[in-house]
Amino acid sequence: MTPLPLNLDLDALRSYVVGMECGNFALAAQRLCRSTSAVSAQLKKLEQQCGTALVARSGRHLVPTPQGELLLGYGKRLLDLNDEAVRALKGELLQGEIRLGVQEDFGESLLPAVLGPFCRLHPGLRMTTRIDRNGPLTKGIKEGSLDMALTWQPQDEGMDARLIALVSLQWIAHPDWELAPLLARGEPLPLVLFDAPCLMRSRATRALDEAGIPWRITFTSQSLGGIWAALQAGLGLTVRSTIGMPASLVTLGGVLPSVGTLGVALLSANPPSSEAERQLQALLADAVHRASASKG
């Protein structure tokens, strides 16, 4: 007789997938509302079922082994299908349309982990997503062309803005770019910034002015991609958060004045009117918290 195929334990698989997304199983245990020992036991059970190690340690972080990486892709699809089936049986599949705006800093780093699973869980839901800067997104909320937006905390008090995280701002440059010689000679620091108006542009120039450090703007851009490219070319330094920062860049600590923190907010013209909007807001808030914790 042909042996029956192995049935993977979905609870153990969920613990593994969430653990890899969080980077450690202590955070995974918090998200799953279980003890760390219970999650670790599930990982061991899954490794026994698969007959191979799924996790390896790289410094302070956990990474999937080659076999673990293979299982990770299948595991996400299995869990998405399981969750969709449960929602369908309970009549909980979401319908309707959401028009979402996302600030550039969060687009590339957060959206794949949030929108992909969310849309697969709710295939009847229509999503329209726009990545832009704070100003156009705030305008979209006011004019009604967007239902919600994930942005840096706006200065406008006349809209519903839910603060979901405080993110540290950093001076960022290429690792080969040298700050010390410029400071020693008293030369203006070359800044790479967005066109005005820009919250972080204002933070950078005000901090340098208050510290009596001269500066000049050497590169301006209307896109975050342009900022990162200019920094990688060694054209100067900038102020941003490390969320979405390319691995080829570094933060400059200790020498330059602090630029503090900046709030991340969920904007909406009105309180969320559908279960779809409430679920998406919760997922975005969770993704921001995890990203800011991992970069902190």
Side-chain angles (χ1 to χ4, degrees):
M1 294 179 60
T2 303
L4 292 174
L6 172 68
N7 291 321
L8 295 174
D9 184 306
L10 287 183
D11 282 337
L13 187 61
R14 193 180 300 275
S15 292
Y16 171 65
V17 170
V18 173
M20 289 296 94
E21 289 177 344
C22 293
N24 69 72
F25 288 100
L27 285 177
Q30 293 177 18
R31 286 186 60 194
L32 296 167
C33 299
R34 295 173 180 159
S35 67
T36 304
S37 59
V39 171
S40 297
Q42 288 186 318
L43 173 63
K44 291 180 181 178
K45 178 180 181 180
L46 189 62
E47 289 182 326
Q48 289 172 353
Q49 285 186 320
C50 296
T52 184
L54 300 173
V55 176
R57 186 168 291 279
S58 175
R60 293 183 297 173
H61 300 284
L62 296 176
V63 296
T65 63
Q67 290 300 100
E69 190 169 10
L70 180 65
L71 178 63
L72 199 57
Y74 284 111
K76 290 178 180 179
R77 289 158 55 193
L78 285 168
L79 292 171
D80 286 346
L81 189 58
N82 172 84
D83 295 347
E84 181 181 337
V86 171
R87 284 182 168 83
L89 290 170
K90 292 183 177 181
E92 295 177 356
L93 289 181
L94 302 180
Q95 305 291 327
E97 180 180 13
I98 298 178
R99 299 166 299 171
L100 172 68
V102 180
Q103 212 279 342
E104 283 186 286
D105 293 79
F106 313 121
E108 184 176 334
S109 56
L110 299 186
L111 282 191
V114 174
L115 288 192
F118 184 73
C119 292
R120 288 194 295 272
L121 283 175
H122 305 292
L125 186 67
R126 298 189 304 278
M127 284 291 307
T128 303
T129 307
R130 170 182 167 190
I131 296 178
D132 213 326
R133 292 175 60 185
N134 255 47
L137 295 180
T138 302
K139 183 178 179 183
I141 292 290
K142 288 181 176 179
E143 294 179 346
S145 60
L146 293 173
D147 298 310
M148 69 176 74
L150 181 66
T151 71
W152 296 112
Q153 188 175 14
Q155 306 303 307
D156 188 345
E157 301 293 337
M159 65 171 54
D160 182 13
R162 173 190 164 201
L163 181 66
I164 59 175
L166 282 176
V167 175
S168 295
L169 298 182
Q170 304 287 340
W171 294 98
I172 297 173
H174 190 274
D176 293 337
W177 187 81
E178 295 186 355
L179 171 66
L182 293 178
L183 292 176
R185 295 192 297 266
E187 294 183 17
L189 298 187
L191 300 182
V192 174
L193 300 170
F194 272 128
D195 293 327
C198 170
L199 292 170
M200 297 188 194
R201 177 184 175 123
S202 300
R203 287 287 188 94
T205 57
R206 184 169 66 246
L208 293 176
D209 286 340
E210 291 175 353
I213 299 174
W215 54 270
R216 61 190 178 93
I217 296 176
T218 57
F219 184 93
T220 59
S221 175
Q222 295 184 348
S223 73
L224 184 58
I227 297 290
W228 295 140
L231 295 179
Q232 289 168 331
L235 299 187
L237 72 163
T238 196
V239 166
R240 308 239 32 111
S241 85
T242 55
I243 295 177
M245 182 183 80
S248 57
L249 301 177
V250 296
T251 59
L252 306 175
V255 178
L256 294 173
S258 170
V259 279
T261 61
L262 192 59
V264 181
L266 273 169
L267 310 184
S268 56
N270 301 291
S273 59
S274 69
E275 179 60 24
E277 291 182 18
R278 283 187 285 273
Q279 285 192 23
L280 182 56
Q281 285 199 5
L283 288 171
L284 289 169
D286 181 61
V288 170
H289 278 294
R290 285 188 281 115
S292 58
S294 67
K295 295 292 186 180

